[in-house]
Amino acid sequence: MSLQFRAGFRHLLRHPWNLLLPVLGIALGVAVTVAIDLAIQSSREAFRVSSETVAGRATHQIQGGVTGVADSIPALLLRETGVRALAPVVEGWGSHPSEPDRPLRLLGIDPFSEAPFRPYLAGGPGAEVDGTRLLTERGAAFVSRATADRLGVAENEAFTLLVGGGLVELRLLGVLEPEDEWSRRGLRDLIVVDLSEAQAVLGRGGELDRIDLLLDEAVADSVLERIRAVLPPELRVEPAGSRERTMEEMVRAFDLNLTALSLLGLVFGVFLIYNTMTFSVVRRRRHFGTLRALGVTRGGILKSVLGEAAFLGVAGSVVGVLLGILLGRGLVRLVTRTINDLYFVVSVEGLALPPDVLLRGGLLGIFATLLAALPPAWEATSVSAREALARSTVETRVRALIPVAAGIGVGLLGLGGALILLTERSLGAAFTGLFAIIVGAALVVPILTIVLVGVLRPLLRRTVGILGAMAARGVVTALSRTAPAVAALVIAVSVTVGLGVMIQSFRGSVVQWLDVTLQADLYVSAPGGVSARAEGSLPEGLDELARGLPGVVGVSTYRGAEFDSDYGRTRLVGLDLDPRGEDAFDVLERMGGLSDEGLFERFRAGDGALISEPFAFRHDLSAGDTVRFASARGPAAFPVLAVFRDYGAEMGTVMIGRVAWDRGWDDRRITSLGIFLEPGASEGPIEAGLRSGSGSELLEVRSNQELRQLTLEVFDRTFEVTRVLRLLAFLVAFVGVLSALMALQLERSRELGVLRANGMTPGQTWGLVTAQTGLMGLVSGILALPLGLLMAVIMIHVVNRRSFGWTLEMTVSPMLLAQAVGLALAGALLAGVYPSWRMARTSPAEALRDE
Amino acid sequence: MTRSQPALELVDVEKGYQEGGRRHTVLSELNLRLEPGDFIALLGPSGSGKSTLLNLISGIDGPDRGEIRVAGVDLHGLSERDRTLFRRDHVGFVFQFFNLIPTLTVEENLLLPLELAGRTRDEDRERVRGLLGRVGLEDRAGAWPDRLSGGEQQRVAVARSLAHQPSLVLADEPTGNLDQATGTWVLDLLEELVRGSGTTMVMVTHSENAAARADRIYDLNAGRLELREPRTV
């Protein structure tokens, strides 16, 4: 290492705060982004691996409509088209009683059809088992070696599975041990049973999920044509993997939101590096001047400063990646749970560590560090020996730059605003706009700080005395150091405010929506699966049973199904709506000229659909448009009667009257019931009546309050990741501000030494330091409020809308704002503790020694 | 370099600064010619432009008018980068505030100009050790600058200014930050080393005593350079 670089690195080592804090800051920033990236990639990869393994070599899949695929279809295809390479599949989810939160995929197959598709199941290469043995014993199952070990079950031993709230006994007949790692990973958490066993266990008699096809590419088109000709209209033939792609598409907005949030942490890390490097350069102006006098070129200085930054960046990024892996282990659980609650079931074995994610995180950290160090490095090259020797200050130049920075900041604010206002649907534009606004605001902060400190100075003079006035003056005379710190604190606090208001508003809206939506007194559903969504079906005749119970005045029935339609993954609901439940719809938009009575009259008659707000937003539909589905009896079209508020399903929901459902599909099942009771009727006897009458002890019967509570719990669970990210982002910012303010005060050691030499007591020194950091905290807190509220508006009305199609009512709690200002103030005051303590302990003589 | 090529030549040099709406002339119509091995002193009150003149001679700053030639090279005709490289190879500095690099040891401070010039041969290192011996600090080679007294630091600075064998040494009040005895000692050393190596030196000082060591003394007054008559020294 050259002497010039050695000098730079030794400078870093001599100022451990300057070394440790930015390394920590960048490490935390990188850790958050890496952790989120790993969590997202792990859940994605787990989903992909298991889907692909389960799909095997299928080239196409016949997918079901609302009622799946009738199990008579394979025979029909064989008869009418001669296609033999087809494999019927039934899939469902369960869990082991010892790990109820970990989903296990139950795969029902026809062992005779499997060989070409999933050779590991049918005695093909790498298969240790003979799939046909599944037919010989009731409850027979195969699992992978890893799953068998985890469940603690040996071959020929029985084990229980929790499916739809009930316990099912299975027997492990053989262990799957495919040769390749990909299949091994795909078989994790997979239980293979015979088709009829799966139908029985999942309560799906006569129904398949899909039929896998293996078609020769050369004749695929003509064979597909023949297949389509004989298939019932509601069934679709799609290339294998298209459903998975649709599902991955669904979570993209969710992923993008998490990624954007995680990048905020990195933005704070960048601030931190900028701060540290600026300090380091300002502090070494004479050093650079000497080097220039000795013949070091501007390029040499630039390289040297960027070299130091690269060192910090590499160190921070390496630590960050390692920390990210640790953090990722926790976050992957939260992310997976949210995906399970909101989108689809996925079981994640552990954190995947794709090298590209780790490398990307590391490079991002290094790149961000170098980017942040570029302005101070440039500043260092502009230090001429003449300036350094003349001891002219950098402050004059900074002051001249402040209006320029403010101008650029206003420009960025305008640009960000324009990006948001001029685009309608692009989430990328919304986030870019938001980031432009954040950076723009940071650039405007210095000029606003001058104004605000000018306003506060007389107040401080009167209340704190000369020390107060000095503290205020100190903030504006050292703007090269104070401005980045204040800007970082403003951004950090505003993000806290923005996210806080967003979460609060979202929760407030959900609470309001639940108040409207939950009109029934009791809700009955099939025992819960592994996700928070209602699945399964209720015992036949339960609705009639409920209607006959004393105290019951009305019943709404609900039949929901998720399937692939022309709108992508769609949730269609057939609703037999009791008139008492009409108020449950918070109608946002209705078909012209339709009264409330008219609307529900048409709905009940099956003449129209109600669509949820996210569905309308995603597919650009309004009341009066038409939604079309392929029903079992041919194409069905429903005019959109109204768009209603719904936070229940992000993919959106289409509701049609039960009459329309029955007209389109031969499916009498019911997913859940809403029961209305006489005033004063007790819930207990009705619940007992339902259980005894249906013979099912496993029914989920919840009161209005319980369901409301459960929904809010799920809501809080889905926002847990956001809360963690908010906390982490603030932590990074806090470290940044702490280091900036601390460095600023330590930098003033000499000045404070002069004051101490002139008779200032340690207590007064403490007062001066804390007054200054406190003032900066207060200014930051005040400036953060409007920015935070602006961010909240953007997140609520733009980001949320574009991501999920929801509109939310913005609610701002004064307590949250007060907390934010308090947080800034507390953080800033805390930053003053160490420098004050150090100055109080250092003798003035020591402080006056020239470094 | 031959006698016909001066070590330093200033021709009609002018330099001023803009102060608000007014232009403030610091140096005007400056002419000077130094032969190799010359040692001159520049005297003048604060603000008379002494340091500005040193900055012009070293190429750190450029004149508004006129020519500055060091070893026959017109500095103003060079790019900023080439001026830096020229300074690296041909000019040595001694500052009032020492300006040692605090994060390099004494020996490393001396090696720095050599390394910058790409000269890291064994004989260069040997010469640095020899120089340390000449300034009496061979036993402090591994010490950090902040562990040295002011006089010791300036002795290191003197050695550093000569480490890469420049043709011109510029000393900006080299004793301004030292007590009289230490200052005298440092000046003795500087003079001895400079004269011993045949290097040209321009020394800016406030001290008449220090100036008296020079071959010639120039007074800088109102931006003009005046050669002092020998009898007034």
Side-chain angles (χ1 to χ4, degrees):
Chain A
M1 194 192 290
S2 74
L3 287 173
Q4 194 194 331
F5 279 94
R6 207 181 294 174
F9 287 119
R10 282 183 188 156
H11 176 81
L12 285 177
L13 295 174
R14 278 192 181 189
H15 299 89
W17 287 110
N18 279 8
L19 179 68
L20 287 178
L21 287 172
V23 166
L24 182 66
I26 208 75
L28 282 173
V30 168
V32 176
T33 44
V34 166
I36 282 293
D37 210 353
L38 285 177
I40 290 172
Q41 295 300 333
S42 299
S43 59
R44 284 272 187 98
E45 203 201 43
F47 177 68
R48 211 170 294 147
V49 171
S50 83
S51 304
E52 285 180 19
T53 313
V54 167
R57 295 172 183 164
T59 57
H60 293 78
Q61 291 174 336
I62 297 175
Q63 287 163 5
V66 163
T67 53
V69 181
D71 60 5
S72 56
I73 300 289
L76 174 80
L77 287 176
L78 190 63
R79 198 172 59 240
E80 300 290 330
T81 66
V83 173
R84 290 178 175 280
L86 45 84
V89 174
V90 173
E91 273 188 281
W93 295 90
S95 59
H96 192 258
S98 64
E99 285 179 291
D101 286 337
R102 180 167 176 159
L104 292 167
R105 185 196 287 246
L106 195 70
L107 182 71
I109 53 152
D110 170 14
F112 293 119
S113 314
E114 280 302 300
F117 292 90
R118 289 161 279 264
Y120 51 83
L121 291 178
E128 296 285 320
V129 296
D130 177 3
T132 54
R133 290 177 61 209
L134 290 174
L135 297 168
T136 58
E137 195 179 330
R138 183 150 178 77
F142 292 154
V143 299
S144 70
R145 168 65 60 206
T147 309
D149 291 346
R150 229 193 51 241
L151 300 179
V153 56
E155 276 181 68
N156 294 315
E157 266 184 20
F159 64 102
T160 46
L161 199 63
L162 203 57
V163 182
L167 289 173
V168 175
E169 184 157 301
L170 298 174
R171 177 172 294 277
L172 182 62
L173 212 59
V175 172
L176 302 168
E177 287 181 289
E179 280 172 342
D180 64 303
E181 173 59 20
W182 182 263
S183 298
R184 264 199 297 278
R185 278 163 59 200
L187 290 179
R188 268 183 206 146
D189 300 327
L190 181 73
I191 297 174
V192 183
V193 293
D194 173 57
L195 202 62
S196 56
E197 183 73 41
Q199 285 174 329
V201 166
L202 296 167
R204 307 247 291 272
E207 202 178 284
L208 304 173
D209 273 284
R210 61 170 201 271
I211 301 170
D212 288 344
L213 299 172
L214 187 60
L215 302 181
D216 185 347
E217 206 179 327
V219 294
D221 285 346
S222 63
V223 176
L224 284 174
E225 210 171 300
R226 290 209 309 275
I227 291 175
R228 284 198 179 101
V230 298
L231 281 182
E234 62 168 338
L235 301 190
R236 303 159 71 90
V237 191
E238 303 281 358
S242 60
R243 174 188 275 192
E244 283 68 34
R245 281 193 288 280
T246 312
M247 288 183 156
E248 286 191 26
E249 192 67 36
M250 274 178 6
V251 285
R252 190 160 291 168
F254 172 70
D255 289 352
L256 189 59
N257 271 275
L258 287 185
T259 306
L261 266 181
S262 73
L263 282 176
L264 268 182
L266 198 64
V267 168
F268 294 143
V270 167
F271 260 106
L272 189 49
I273 290 289
Y274 170 76
N275 232 332
T276 310
M277 294 311 294
T278 304
F279 255 90
S280 177
V281 166
V282 167
R283 190 177 198 148
R284 285 183 291 165
R285 286 180 68 75
R286 192 194 284 183
H287 166 95
F288 292 125
T290 306
L291 287 178
R292 296 279 289 123
L294 291 176
V296 178
T297 58
R298 285 181 198 276
I301 300 278
L302 188 75
K303 263 192 261 176
S304 146
V305 178
L306 287 181
E308 288 170 35
F311 171 73
L312 291 175
V314 170
S317 298
V318 169
V319 177
V321 167
L322 295 175
L323 213 59
I325 294 172
L326 286 178
L327 194 62
R329 289 188 204 286
L331 280 181
V332 74
R333 273 199 299 276
L334 296 180
V335 169
T336 309
R337 206 164 59 183
T338 306
I339 291 176
N340 282 340
D341 282 340
L342 294 183
Y343 304 96
F344 48 79
V345 179
V346 60
S347 171
V348 181
E349 165 77 16
L351 197 66
L353 297 175
D356 61 315
V357 171
L358 303 182
L359 191 69
R360 191 162 58 218
L363 288 179
L364 195 65
I366 296 168
F367 175 73
T369 309
L370 289 177
L371 191 73
L374 208 53
W378 192 254
E379 163 71 26
T381 67
S382 68
V383 177
S384 74
R386 179 178 62 77
E387 269 183 303
L389 302 177
R391 299 188 141 210
S392 71
T393 64
V394 72
E395 295 304 330
T396 320
R397 198 165 357 169
V398 168
R399 271 198 166 265
L401 280 176
I402 281 174
V404 181
I408 297 172
V410 169
L412 278 173
L413 285 170
L415 184 74
L419 260 175
I420 288 168
L421 293 173
L422 299 179
T423 56
E424 273 185 23
R425 289 181 169 262
S426 164
L427 188 55
F431 275 122
T432 312
L434 185 59
F435 273 83
I437 285 174
I438 290 176
V439 177
L443 290 173
V444 179
V445 161
I447 208 162
L448 294 179
T449 305
I450 295 175
V451 173
L452 210 52
V453 169
V455 173
L456 292 171
R457 190 169 181 257
L459 199 70
L460 278 166
R461 177 78 177 89
R462 271 199 299 278
T463 51
V464 188
I466 187 80
L467 288 183
M470 278 170 73
R473 185 82 193 122
V475 173
V476 288
T477 50
L479 272 172
S480 70
R481 301 131 196 243
T482 55
V486 173
L489 195 52
V490 168
I491 302 299
V493 176
S494 62
V495 167
T496 315
V497 171
L499 282 176
V501 169
M502 191 267 279
I503 295 174
Q504 210 169 48
S505 303
F506 209 148
R507 201 173 196 279
S509 300
V510 170
V511 168
Q512 228 173 37
W513 168 71
L514 285 175
D515 286 343
V516 173
T517 299
L518 299 181
Q519 293 285 332
D521 300 298
L522 274 181
Y523 290 87
V524 185
S525 60
V530 283
S531 83
R533 289 160 294 156
E535 288 166 346
S537 51
L538 292 171
E540 213 171 307
L542 195 72
D543 51 334
E544 287 311 316
L545 175 72
R547 284 193 180 95
L549 290 173
V552 172
V553 293
V555 174
S556 287
T557 73
Y558 178 102
R559 165 72 176 125
E562 273 176 28
F563 68 109
D564 293 303
S565 71
D566 292 343
Y567 302 100
R569 196 79 188 148
T570 307
R571 183 161 185 83
L572 185 68
V573 171
L575 183 65
D576 179 8
L577 182 66
D578 187 272
R580 293 165 195 81
E582 286 175 7
D583 289 342
F585 288 93
D586 182 0
V587 173
L588 300 169
E589 187 199 345
R590 69 177 68 210
M591 192 188 266
L594 214 54
S595 65
D596 261 2
E597 294 81 38
L599 192 159
F600 288 108
E601 202 173 298
R602 282 186 66 174
F603 177 74
R604 278 200 195 82
D607 179 20
L610 304 174
I611 63 173
S612 72
E613 189 188 18
F615 191 85
F617 179 80
R618 277 176 193 279
H619 306 294
D620 205 11
L621 290 166
S622 317
D625 291 342
T626 303
V627 285
R628 295 170 206 280
F629 298 104
S631 79
R633 298 191 177 88
F638 302 95
V640 176
L641 302 173
V643 178
F644 64 98
R645 192 188 297 278
D646 178 45
Y647 301 117
E650 195 244 292
M651 72 178 83
T653 304
V654 178
M655 291 201 174
I656 56 174
R658 184 75 204 201
V659 171
W661 181 278
D662 292 342
R663 208 160 51 211
W665 293 275
D666 190 16
D667 171 56
R668 300 299 308 160
R669 284 173 291 183
I670 291 170
T671 311
S672 62
L673 295 179
I675 300 176
F676 298 88
L677 305 182
E678 269 174 8
S682 168
E683 293 160 358
I686 290 164
E687 184 178 341
L690 285 170
R691 290 191 194 286
S692 64
S694 67
S696 173
E697 279 304 308
L698 296 168
L699 288 179
E700 301 266 18
V701 183
R702 293 190 181 92
S703 71
N704 183 306
Q705 276 307 308
E706 281 168 352
L707 186 58
R708 181 192 158 96
Q709 191 57 36
L710 182 76
T711 312
L712 284 176
E713 272 168 25
V714 173
F715 172 86
D716 289 338
R717 217 154 73 184
T718 57
F719 269 97
E720 221 163 294
V721 190
T722 315
R723 286 203 188 89
V724 170
L725 286 180
R726 178 185 176 214
L727 187 73
L728 286 171
F730 187 78
L731 193 69
V732 182
F734 188 75
V735 170
V737 171
L738 198 70
S739 79
L741 295 185
M742 210 185 279
L744 173 67
Q745 295 303 331
L746 292 176
E747 182 72 12
R748 294 176 66 212
S749 294
R750 195 179 158 78
E751 180 194 333
L752 294 172
V754 171
L755 291 170
R756 292 264 285 113
N758 279 296
M760 185 182 265
T761 64
Q764 287 170 320
T765 313
W766 180 285
L768 179 64
V769 170
T770 45
Q772 192 170 80
T773 54
L775 178 65
M776 288 165 72
L778 185 67
V779 167
S780 306
I782 293 171
L783 292 178
L785 293 187
L787 180 62
L789 290 174
L790 178 66
M791 283 167 78
V793 168
I794 295 170
M795 282 192 269
I796 289 170
H797 297 299
V798 182
V799 172
N800 252 303
R801 177 88 176 139
R802 291 184 190 183
S803 299
F804 310 111
W806 287 313
T807 47
L808 308 170
E809 300 283 332
M810 184 162 155
T811 40
V812 183
S813 128
M815 182 54 87
L816 193 140
L817 302 183
Q819 271 173 0
V821 178
L823 203 62
L825 199 57
L829 286 173
L830 195 63
V833 171
Y834 174 67
S836 311
W837 175 79
R838 208 178 91 151
M839 280 317 299
R841 283 171 54 97
T842 310
S843 79
E846 185 82 10
L848 288 169
R849 261 179 71 103
D850 211 353
E851 192 183 23
Chain B
M1 204 180 297
T2 62
R3 289 297 295 175
S4 60
Q5 189 177 66
L8 171 67
E9 194 174 18
L10 271 61
V11 183
D12 293 333
V13 169
E14 267 194 40
K15 180 71 183 173
Y17 295 106
Q18 202 68 33
E19 273 183 356
R22 273 184 54 208
R23 180 149 186 88
H24 173 63
T25 302
V26 182
L27 304 170
S28 64
E29 291 176 36
L30 237 61
N31 288 287
L32 181 69
R33 180 184 168 109
L34 300 186
E35 300 303 331
D38 279 357
F39 171 10
I40 66 156
L42 282 177
L43 277 167
S46 296
S48 60
K50 303 186 296 293
S51 295
T52 303
L53 181 55
L54 283 196
N55 290 335
L56 293 178
I57 294 171
S58 63
I60 285 172
D61 206 354
D64 298 335
R65 263 188 52 201
E67 282 179 18
I68 299 167
R69 289 197 196 92
V70 179
V73 176
D74 177 10
L75 291 186
H76 203 44
L78 299 178
S79 67
E80 201 278 336
R81 179 182 157 78
D82 288 342
R83 279 206 306 271
T84 304
L85 297 182
F86 183 84
R87 186 162 66 239
R88 188 182 76 186
D89 295 334
H90 296 95
V91 182
F93 265 105
V94 181
F95 303 102
Q96 180 182 358
F97 294 101
F98 327 136
N99 287 358
L100 299 179
I101 306 296
T103 46
L104 294 180
T105 63
V106 165
E107 186 178 17
E108 286 171 342
N109 262 284
L110 262 62
L111 284 170
L112 181 64
L114 289 169
E115 192 183 287
L116 290 174
R119 289 159 53 184
T120 49
R121 291 167 307 180
D122 285 346
E123 57 258 43
D124 292 318
R125 292 177 183 278
E126 274 307 310
R127 205 182 51 258
V128 160
R129 275 183 214 119
L131 262 174
L132 266 181
R134 299 274 300 275
V135 299
L137 290 169
E138 64 268 58
D139 56 335
R140 308 299 304 273
W144 299 109
D146 60 0
R147 296 287 153 213
L148 303 182
S149 68
E152 285 173 327
Q153 287 193 46
Q154 196 61 308
R155 276 145 65 196
V156 177
V158 166
R160 181 179 68 182
S161 71
L162 292 162
H164 56 304
Q165 298 169 302
S167 57
L168 177 65
V169 167
L170 303 173
D172 191 358
E173 300 192 27
T175 58
N177 214 22
L178 301 173
D179 62 66
Q180 198 180 353
T182 312
T184 305
W185 186 27
V186 167
L187 275 181
D188 287 345
L189 195 62
L190 182 61
E191 189 179 355
E192 180 195 330
L193 289 172
V194 167
R195 291 200 189 277
S197 57
T199 311
T200 311
M201 178 156 79
V202 178
M203 179 172 72
V204 162
T205 180
H206 275 117
S207 159
E208 292 285 349
N209 284 339
R213 293 165 177 268
D215 302 330
R216 297 193 297 279
I217 297 174
Y218 288 86
D219 284 309
L220 196 56
N221 273 317
R224 289 172 188 278
L225 213 48
E226 291 163 11
L227 177 64
R228 211 183 267 190
E229 291 302 316
R231 57 178 160 36
T232 64
V233 175

